[in-house]
Amino acid sequence: MNSSSRQRRLTAAALTALAVATSATACSSGSGSTDTKGADSGAYTIWDPYPQFDKSSAWAKLLDDCGTEAGVKIKRTAFDTSDLTNKALLAAQQDNSADVLIVDNPVVSTLAEAGVLTTTDENKVDTSKVDPNLLAAGQSGGKTYGTPIGANTLALYYNKEVLREAGVDTASVKDWKSLTAALAKVEKAGKKGITFSAIGTEEGSFQFLPWFWGSGAKLTELDSPEAASALSLWTDWLKKGYAPNSVINNTQTTSWQEFATGDYAFAENGTWQLANAEKAGFDYGVLPIPGADGGNAPAPTGGEFVTLPVQGDTGRYATSQKLATCLTSSQNLYDTDTTLSYVAPTTEVQDKQVAANAGLKPWVDAVKAAKGRTSDDLGTKYPKISEQMWKAVQSALSGSQSPKDALNAAQSAVK
């Protein structure tokens, strides 16, 4: 690709970067320079979205160790998740990209379509052990642009005492009908049913997707009968008092705070709440989100991909590949994913995680059924679809439109 055509693609991509859906978990703000190579030409640069980990952290030590193993020094810069996309696009325009770029999985397709990233065929990063459903989030146009460092997703936390008092056996919760029956029992027992996030942002779409996909609906057909059944499920829960009206404004954090009161039977939330669950002060369990007719619904994957950006100096790729391979080795995946509360992207490491902590089994099951938001080759189409989806959810839950009408309007807007 010549420099002028690449410049045009990067400029177009920059216009859509802010709209790209980012992970539903949030990191604190970080800072960094876009001067990737620095004064020391022997240094290799790594950008990541983990500003919460400082120089003394196990993560920073792993980066340095991988550098030592590859025979180079590491210059690491951490950015806020959303800021990292823009910085990566700007650096690519200036032919000053990081050697290794770790980004939220929905961003991969944006960077790939902008010509920022090399493919795994080009950079020789081995993805053969990665679960295909997780790898799909990093694929676009039949090519793979990185490898996942770990995954998180959504499931149902439940309060054992609330369910016990309501006479609900969690083994009976296998589909939407049995879940709704459980919520009815809980409400009759004087407790609260389920809380989730339906806010008008990507978080709302992220939380709706397991029910949307669990109905059999496709993101290319927001107005399908299956999609309407999923939105009707949520709407009916609010009408019957099984879910609070606050879900319309709930983030995943405020939804969790509601569950943490101990009054709710269920909460839809992610692996990132595991530490908070241990501090909640009551016995809890975890169930994969059920599909409409049973089985585990596909929940959207969060988590990051290790990618190798295009370099003007192609001689850097060999060492960059060594760094990526080191970061995603089985032992390092196990250590990193434990730190990040992620499920590993390979069966080998997942089995090791469950052996060390049996409580992770439901999360491994949920991740195995999970699906990337940009999968099915949606790529940069996803943000527009997602925006119309959360608008439809808001309209239906607020009562301003029926689920069917809200989704019809959403599909028309996408077209």
Side-chain angles (χ1 to χ4, degrees), residues 24 154-157 192-199 203-204 207 211 234 243-270 272-273 276 282:
L154 297 165
L156 294 179
Y157 287 88
K192 299 176 181 179
I194 186 168
T195 181
F196 48 87
S197 168
I199 193 170
E203 280 190 89
Q207 289 243 317
W211 313 96
W234 272 19
N245 289 326
S246 58
V247 299
I248 295 174
N249 297 313
N250 267 350
T251 65
Q252 292 181 112
T253 297
T254 56
S255 171
W256 179 262
Q257 290 167 348
E258 289 180 334
F259 181 66
T261 63
D263 294 330
Y264 284 85
F266 296 96
E268 179 184 356
N269 228 298
W272 52 91
Q273 298 290 6
N276 288 329
F282 53 79

Side-chain angles (χ1 to χ4, degrees), residues 151-413:
N152 55 29
T153 195
L154 297 165
L156 294 179
Y157 287 88
Y158 61 87
N159 184 317
K160 293 183 178 181
E161 182 60 27
V162 170
L163 292 181
R164 188 160 43 243
E165 290 179 0
V168 174
D169 179 1
T170 53
S172 70
V173 179
K174 297 180 179 179
D175 52 24
W176 289 3
K177 183 178 179 179
S178 56
L179 175 57
T180 301
L183 296 177
K185 286 185 176 181
V186 169
E187 196 269 341
K188 188 175 181 179
K191 290 291 187 178
K192 299 176 181 179
I194 186 168
T195 181
F196 48 87
S197 168
I199 193 170
T201 68
E202 174 60 21
E203 280 190 89
S205 291
F206 190 78
Q207 289 243 317
F208 183 58
L209 276 171
W211 313 96
F212 181 88
W213 282 331
S215 73
K218 299 178 181 179
L219 285 172
T220 51
E221 299 175 27
L222 294 178
D223 56 351
S224 69
E226 292 83 3
S229 72
L231 189 48
S232 294
L233 179 74
W234 272 19
T235 304
D236 290 346
W237 284 350
L238 263 68
K239 288 179 179 177
K240 294 176 181 178
Y242 299 163
N245 289 326
S246 58
V247 299
I248 295 174
N249 297 313
N250 267 350
T251 65
Q252 292 181 112
T253 297
T254 56
S255 171
W256 179 262
Q257 290 167 348
E258 289 180 334
F259 181 66
T261 63
D263 294 330
Y264 284 85
F266 296 96
E268 179 184 356
N269 228 298
T271 47
W272 52 91
Q273 298 290 6
L274 281 170
N276 288 329
E278 295 296 334
K279 301 173 185 175
F282 53 79
D283 286 340
Y284 75 94
V286 178
L287 289 172
I289 296 171
D293 299 319
N296 296 342
T301 55
E304 288 76 42
F305 267 61
V306 178
T307 67
L308 303 188
V310 172
Q311 301 291 338
D313 178 4
T314 58
R316 301 182 72 85
Y317 291 147
T319 297
S320 297
Q321 187 268 350
K322 290 179 182 177
L323 294 172
T325 299
C326 176
L327 290 173
T328 56
S329 71
S330 292
Q331 184 58 52
N332 287 337
L333 280 176
Y334 177 79
D335 293 340
T336 298
D337 291 338
T338 299
T339 298
L340 295 172
S341 292
Y342 280 175
V343 171
T346 68
T347 298
E348 175 189 354
V349 184
Q350 290 167 1
D351 291 345
K352 187 176 179 181
Q353 288 180 304
V354 172
N357 180 2
L360 289 176
K361 180 64 166 62
W363 291 109
V364 169
D365 290 343
V367 163
K368 283 189 174 297
K371 185 173 181 176
R373 284 163 278 174
T374 58
S375 296
D376 298 329
D377 233 14
L378 286 178
T380 53
K381 298 175 185 176
Y382 173 75
K384 185 174 182 179
I385 294 170
S386 175
E387 180 179 3
Q388 296 308 318
M389 176 186 287
W390 81 57
K391 287 181 176 178
V393 169
Q394 289 268 299
S395 294
L397 295 188
S398 67
S400 64
Q401 286 183 295
S402 69
K404 185 175 185 297
D405 288 346
L407 288 167
N408 284 341
Q411 184 64 25
S412 294

Side-chain angles (χ1 to χ4, degrees), residues 45-117:
T45 55
I46 297 179
W47 287 3
D48 68 52
Y50 311 130
Q52 69 271 37
F53 298 132
D54 63 20
K55 292 180 180 179
S56 64
S57 66
W59 170 250
K61 185 177 185 300
L62 171 61
L63 299 182
D64 287 338
D65 288 347
C66 285
T68 299
E69 187 175 311
V72 296
K73 293 180 180 179
I74 297 300
K75 182 181 179 184
R76 176 226 178 186
T77 307
F79 296 95
D80 174 81
T81 299
S82 56
D83 194 32
L84 181 54
T85 307
N86 297 321
K87 290 292 195 298
L89 286 163
L90 177 61
Q93 285 179 304
Q94 299 169 342
D95 192 19
N96 197 30
S97 292
D99 292 293
V100 177
L101 183 62
I102 302 170
V103 292
D104 192 24
N105 72 71
V107 174
V108 175
S109 58
T110 293
L111 298 181
E113 289 183 30
V116 174
L117 304 177

